[in-house]
Amino acid sequence: MRLASLLLVLGCSVFAQTNRFDILITGAHVVDGSGNPWYSADVGIRGDTIVAVGQLGDSQAAIRIDARGLVVAPGFIDIHSHGRRGIFNVPTAENYLREGVTTIIEGPDGSSALPIAPFLDRFKETPISINFATFVGQGTIRTQVIGLANRKATPEEIGKMKDLAAQAMRDGAFGLSTGLFYVPGNFTPTEEVIELAKVVGQMGGIHISHMREEATHVLDTVRETIRIGEEGGLPTQITHHKTIGQASWGKSIESLKLVEEARARGVDVTIDQYPYTASSTGISALFPQWALEGGQKSTAERLSAPGERARIKAVIVENLKFDRGAGDPKNVALVNCSFDPGLAGKNLAEVTKARGVEVTMENAAETAIELQSKGGCSAIYHAISEEDVMRIMQSPYTMIASDGDIPVFGQASPHPRSYGTFARVLGVYVREKHVVTLEDAVRKMSGMPAERLKLWDRGLVRPGMKADVVVFDPAKVADRSQYDKPHQYSVGFRDVIVNGKLALHNDQVTTERSGRVLYGPAH
Ligand SMILES: [Zn+2]
């Protein structure tokens, strides 16, 4: 090749590299995920990477996105998701895409896939539209070693659990989740969790906890979560922080103080939350924890012994009054009862009435026992105060997470948080109520969870970052999903880019499946 033509080829390729983008977003307000004030710029994407941010309007681009009047932000990272089954039914994760989520972290509440590696390998056969990552669940590990027994583990068993935790970290987990409220987490002494936490912490992971109790004893369990971080030597996170039941409303003042004090003495503790005044979990959450030991069959045996049945019922009555029932059985709405789909959407007062009895706490407790005995139901519990939601949201240590799932559109009655969490914060708590600023809200959804997870190449709009980018209208963004009509997508997100490909473009889900499995720090 002659020198001149070689130079020509080189020159062309240099020219192409500096001026040609695969996607160019122009004229937007960039809210970059750091919490800094918005600024005007164009964003250039090549391959799977943001390669330029600045005045790029004259550059060539395969796809140009005019974003005047709109916000460009990093794709949102949901650090608490239950989508590990749903993603295989709905690989587009459309509920998440339409609220700007580009990464979900699974394995919450002490429950995960195990072993991790073969589970993550399944995504080689199922291309997905968003990124997927996971924690390893303490409850899942414990179940594998000693089943659902309500007893301390032996040193040898704890050794096995530590090996499983370490293997999960090597397989790509981002840390250890606990669900100390659930079987078998509720049978686990704090010291045992700390042993596992030490292993995970040394490998770069975090601890994230659905705490042992979120109602009358919420402050004790905040202390426990902090202790696990302090003695386990790793970052620790209170997940879906809330204070349940009127008797506990306002306790977020003190729980946030506990977090502040812990941080002041050097414990790395953070929080996440969803922006709703109702929680969602099994109807078994009304039961005393000892009654659930050993699973469904053992619970049924206890219920057939009159003395034990009376003791169980007394606790359910208490919980209906002061805990998740918040003083009225109609605060407990059934979502999904495997044995009778017709019960979805009905509340505990209605089902009690349909049994032909008066709606009292005692009779509602009987209804709950009957539902649990037939196979159990998931339920939505309206028992959180709006003041606590807003106070927790304003903490600089709080990020936003959905605790949601990937529902099949139209099926069952999921909590609206699956469809609406991120859009709701931007619509209700930024635009309408001014609880947090737009920049802070975006930080809580992107830069903050990315940093928490050590996802150093995501969560910010900066050159060099992976191109997970959302374009939304700050004047229109809104959640639509409601408790009695949950299957409604959020609105306002026009374009969602995942690893440099448009997964949502001009409000339409595309055929791109550019989501990736993300691996944790010890992989
Ligand atoms: Zn949870």
Side-chain angles (χ1 to χ4, degrees), residues 80 82 108-109 182 209-210 214 239-240 242 280 403 417:
H80 186 139
H82 290 268
D109 298 344
Y182 297 110
S209 187
H210 178 145
E214 296 174 293
T239 202
H240 52 51
K242 54 188 171 291
S280 177
D403 193 10
R417 65 196 181 195

Side-chain angles (χ1 to χ4, degrees), residues 196-520:
L196 269 60
K198 283 178 184 166
V199 172
V200 167
Q202 276 165 5
M203 299 177 80
I206 71 167
H207 167 244
I208 183 165
S209 187
H210 178 145
M211 302 193 298
R212 216 174 275 278
E213 220 271 11
E214 296 174 293
T216 42
H217 301 293
V218 64
L219 296 177
D220 288 336
T221 56
V222 167
R223 287 187 190 95
E224 181 184 31
T225 307
I226 291 169
R227 183 185 161 201
I228 292 166
E230 193 158 24
E231 295 182 22
L234 81 176
T236 188
Q237 181 149 319
I238 301 164
T239 202
H240 52 51
H241 189 29
K242 54 188 171 291
T243 58
I244 296 174
Q246 280 99 328
S248 298
W249 290 358
K251 281 185 183 165
S252 61
I253 295 171
E254 273 161 276
S255 70
L256 293 176
K257 207 179 283 171
L258 288 172
V259 168
E260 293 268 358
E261 285 167 6
R263 293 189 61 89
R265 65 173 189 272
V267 188
D268 182 357
V269 49
T270 46
I271 301 163
D272 66 70
Q273 77 167 156
Y274 51 75
Y276 294 91
T277 53
S279 64
S280 177
T281 189
I283 195 89
S284 61
L286 293 170
F287 283 59
Q289 296 179 338
W290 56 263
L292 304 171
E293 184 194 344
Q296 193 84 11
K297 209 174 138 229
S298 311
T299 304
E301 278 165 23
R302 288 184 196 102
L303 287 169
S304 58
E308 286 199 77
R309 187 189 178 90
R311 280 168 59 210
I312 292 169
K313 188 174 162 185
V315 173
I316 296 174
V317 168
E318 285 292 294
N319 284 339
L320 286 174
K321 284 181 181 165
F322 303 114
D323 198 307
R324 280 177 207 264
D328 192 331
K330 76 173 177 351
N331 290 330
V332 181
L334 303 178
V335 173
N336 191 18
C337 306
S338 53
F339 57 90
D340 183 357
L343 290 172
K346 298 215 162 65
N347 68 51
L348 202 55
E350 290 167 335
V351 181
T352 302
K353 210 168 165 193
R355 285 172 51 229
V357 295
E358 199 191 332
V359 181
T360 61
M361 293 294 181
E362 280 70 21
N363 288 338
E366 284 292 345
T367 307
I369 289 171
E370 192 184 309
L371 294 172
Q372 182 65 17
S373 302
K374 285 182 177 168
C377 307
S378 50
I380 290 171
Y381 300 91
H382 297 269
I384 303 167
S385 89
E386 180 67 14
E387 283 69 32
D388 286 312
V389 170
M390 293 191 290
R391 187 179 297 116
I392 291 168
M393 194 178 291
Q394 285 180 325
S395 165
Y397 312 119
T398 300
M399 56 193 89
I400 304 301
S402 75
D403 193 10
D405 206 330
I406 301 174
V408 175
F409 195 83
Q411 276 185 23
S413 280
H415 190 296
R417 65 196 181 195
S418 293
Y419 284 97
T421 290
F422 295 85
R424 181 171 174 79
V425 169
L426 296 170
V428 174
Y429 294 93
V430 172
R431 187 179 59 236
E432 291 171 19
K433 294 189 173 180
H434 306 289
V435 173
V436 288
T437 64
L438 175 62
E439 287 86 348
D440 203 26
V442 168
R443 177 185 74 88
K444 289 169 179 290
M445 299 170 181
S446 56
M448 189 180 186
E451 191 174 288
R452 197 63 173 152
L453 295 161
K454 303 183 175 71
L455 281 173
W456 302 121
D457 56 356
R458 295 178 198 271
L460 294 172
V461 176
R462 297 268 165 89
M465 289 280 165
K466 289 281 178 274
D468 292 345
V469 176
V470 298
V471 180
F472 67 91
D473 186 339
K476 290 192 184 139
V477 61
D479 64 305
R480 290 276 188 264
S481 179
Q482 289 166 9
Y483 295 107
D484 58 351
K485 261 182 116 185
H487 294 284
Q488 303 192 73
Y489 293 118
S490 290
V491 296
F493 286 86
R494 200 189 66 182
D495 306 293
V496 175
I497 298 166
V498 181
N499 294 305
K501 302 283 185 200
L502 278 154
L504 187 75
H505 190 33
N506 290 327
D507 294 315
Q508 302 298 314
V509 174
T510 72
T511 55
E512 298 284 0
R513 301 284 180 272
S514 58
R516 293 177 187 166
V517 171
L518 305 182
Y519 293 93

